[in-house]
Amino acid sequence: MFKHIPSLISCICALFFLCFISCSKEKKSTKETITIGTKKEEKKTGLQNTSTVPVMLDNKGIGPISSITFEDQINTELSDRGAQLFKAKCTACHKARKKMIGPPMAGIYEKRSPEWVMNMIMNPDEMIKKDPVAIALFKTYNNTIMINQNIPEEEARAMAEWFRTLEE
């Protein structure tokens, strides 16, 4: 009678082992599928939420600049100074014509008002907290904060003039 107990225990252990393996495989494969799908999506776009940044030419942003008028002709002296300032202060995160850590500057006035651009340069902290376009850009560019470099109005204006010379 006790002769069959070891084989019965072996059968029960084998059943538990098979159940355990089959259950753990289902959970593991589900997790892998979710993770792989997320990683592929991030690699594919490189950025998140790229289509959610609105074009708002009437938005002037938040900061000291409420109105700016560009002359018909580009002020080349001011533009040259703006290019130098941009190279010195902005190229760690921005390129003129390519996406990098931050957006490119070429064609910026097709998407943003000059006031918004200058306010973003001069007041990025408050813009990222309160301005809908700046918040959308913040999310699109992987929650990367634009560093406030305390750029004065004259320098921001020079960079704004240089941005006019850039074609998309």
Side-chain angles (χ1 to χ4, degrees):
M1 181 172 170
F2 293 110
K3 197 181 203 183
H4 299 289
I5 291 179
S7 65
L8 184 62
I9 291 174
S10 295
C11 286
I12 292 172
C13 287
L15 275 171
F16 280 120
F17 181 74
L18 289 173
C19 268
F20 177 75
I21 288 175
S22 66
C23 290
S24 66
K25 280 185 178 179
E26 286 179 31
K27 289 179 183 175
K28 187 175 181 183
S29 65
T30 303
K31 285 182 182 177
E32 286 177 3
T33 303
I34 292 169
T35 304
I36 291 168
T38 303
K39 286 182 181 177
K40 283 182 183 176
E41 185 63 30
E42 286 175 8
K43 286 180 183 177
K44 182 180 171 186
T45 61
L47 301 171
Q48 300 170 355
N49 303 323
T50 54
S51 63
T52 60
V53 180
V55 172
M56 295 178 73
L57 294 172
D58 59 337
N59 178 1
K60 296 185 185 285
I62 299 163
I65 308 301
S66 59
S67 178
I68 181 172
T69 304
F70 288 135
E71 298 293 326
D72 290 337
Q73 295 291 326
I74 292 174
N75 179 331
T76 55
E77 186 178 318
L78 189 60
S79 174
D80 290 346
R81 183 162 183 259
Q84 291 171 347
L85 289 164
F86 182 83
K87 276 184 182 177
K89 298 184 179 203
C90 307
T91 55
C93 298
H94 295 276
K95 293 220 180 251
R97 292 178 179 83
K98 290 183 181 179
K99 290 181 181 180
M100 199 169 144
I101 294 168
M105 299 299 105
I108 190 72
Y109 298 124
E110 294 171 19
K111 302 170 196 160
R112 317 278 174 256
S113 70
E115 296 87 356
W116 188 94
V117 171
M118 287 185 59
N119 281 323
M120 189 66 188
I121 292 169
M122 297 171 60
N123 191 30
D125 299 330
E126 194 171 6
M127 289 279 285
I128 289 172
K129 290 177 187 171
K130 298 178 182 176
D131 181 79
V133 175
I135 292 167
L137 283 167
F138 172 72
K139 290 177 183 175
T140 298
Y141 284 86
N142 299 317
N143 298 326
T144 303
I145 295 173
M146 182 169 159
I147 296 169
N148 188 343
Q149 298 187 56
N150 297 310
I151 295 175
E153 185 174 342
E154 312 80 57
E155 290 182 4
R157 177 61 182 90
M159 284 189 262
E161 188 73 11
W162 179 64
F163 297 158
R164 294 177 63 199
T165 69
L166 302 174
E167 294 180 12
E168 230 176 332

